[in-house]
Amino acid sequence: IGFWRSVGHSHTAFAVESFIDELAVASGQDPFLYRHQLLRRAPRHRKVLVAAATAAGWGRPLSSGRFRGIAQHHSFESYVAQVAEVSVTDGNLRVHRVVCAVDCGRVINPDIVKAQMESSVVFGLSAALKQRISYRAGQVEQSNFHDFEMLRFDEMPQVDVVILPSSDDPTGVGEPGVPPVAPAV
């Protein structure tokens, strides 16, 4: 599989959370409420889910042409849920806002937690929306950021980070923000 920020959690979260969305649709339920019910015995999962949905205004109407998606994942002993607000114009997807709720135990430096969640959103969205590796004659064609792009400043959504208070031991924040990004979109 190779090296990746959040290693196997990214594709695992994408598969699981996308399937949960399909189950919610098949049962005619709201994706947030469906997850909320599934997580009734997982209080920390549920708390980040509720925090992200609340901060994003889940259930309130959006302006015409805007949509919300939600996902949550537990990795590196931290819990993260994200809500993405997106639009599609002429076949082009744009992410306008990502609300990220994180429970990483006792927070020593909230600015570091916020910076890691924001950078996770950049990393995850760049991978989901822009980056690809192609080969020609057995060689990788991309060589640097001019042809393996990250999101540019004008493409970056607003990112709101909600840090849940906790007295549990501190846990990881460098990677847990990546897995929920793509499935939320």
Side-chain angles (χ1 to χ4, degrees), residues 11-77:
H11 57 268
T12 301
F14 185 80
V16 170
E17 289 296 299
S18 297
F19 186 59
I20 289 173
D21 277 339
E22 290 182 25
L23 292 171
V25 168
S27 67
Q29 295 183 51
D30 174 88
F32 162 70
L33 295 175
Y34 188 80
R35 282 174 174 81
H36 191 262
Q37 176 64 21
L38 288 176
L39 297 171
R40 65 187 172 277
R41 293 188 185 132
R44 291 178 80 182
H45 286 276
R46 207 175 208 201
K47 283 180 186 176
V48 293
L49 186 75
V50 169
T54 301
W58 193 273
R60 289 196 311 253
L62 289 165
S63 57
S64 180
R66 297 260 179 125
F67 309 92
R68 283 190 193 104
I70 192 166
Q72 68 85 39
H73 190 71
H74 170 249
S75 61
F76 305 95
E77 301 305 315

Side-chain angles (χ1 to χ4, degrees), residues 15-183:
V16 170
E17 289 296 299
S18 297
F19 186 59
I20 289 173
D21 277 339
E22 290 182 25
L23 292 171
V25 168
S27 67
Q29 295 183 51
D30 174 88
F32 162 70
L33 295 175
Y34 188 80
R35 282 174 174 81
H36 191 262
Q37 176 64 21
L38 288 176
L39 297 171
R40 65 187 172 277
R41 293 188 185 132
R44 291 178 80 182
H45 286 276
R46 207 175 208 201
K47 283 180 186 176
V48 293
L49 186 75
V50 169
T54 301
W58 193 273
R60 289 196 311 253
L62 289 165
S63 57
S64 180
R66 297 260 179 125
F67 309 92
R68 283 190 193 104
I70 192 166
Q72 68 85 39
H73 190 71
H74 170 249
S75 61
F76 305 95
E77 301 305 315
S78 292
Y79 302 80
V80 177
Q82 295 176 350
V83 174
E85 184 179 319
V86 303
S87 65
V88 180
T89 306
D90 298 324
N92 296 312
L93 181 85
R94 173 138 181 115
V95 181
H96 300 275
R97 181 180 181 212
V98 174
V99 175
C100 175
V102 57
D103 175 354
C104 56
R106 185 179 310 109
V107 174
I108 307 303
N109 186 333
D111 289 337
I112 289 175
V113 175
K114 185 176 186 277
Q116 288 295 328
M117 294 303 117
E118 291 169 340
S119 65
S120 291
V121 169
V122 175
F123 185 88
L125 287 177
S126 294
L129 301 176
K130 299 190 78 144
Q131 297 171 342
R132 70 184 192 99
I133 297 289
S134 58
Y135 298 88
R136 179 173 296 164
Q139 300 292 315
V140 173
E141 293 183 297
Q142 292 72 29
S143 63
N144 210 325
F145 291 115
H146 71 283
D147 55 6
F148 187 74
E149 293 184 60
M150 299 288 286
L151 286 183
R152 305 292 189 212
F153 282 123
D154 65 330
E155 300 168 313
M156 187 62 195
Q158 173 185 331
V159 179
D160 299 319
V161 178
V162 178
I163 302 170
L164 276 67
S166 177
S167 58
D168 290 331
D169 290 342
T171 55
V173 293
E175 299 182 68
V178 175
V181 174

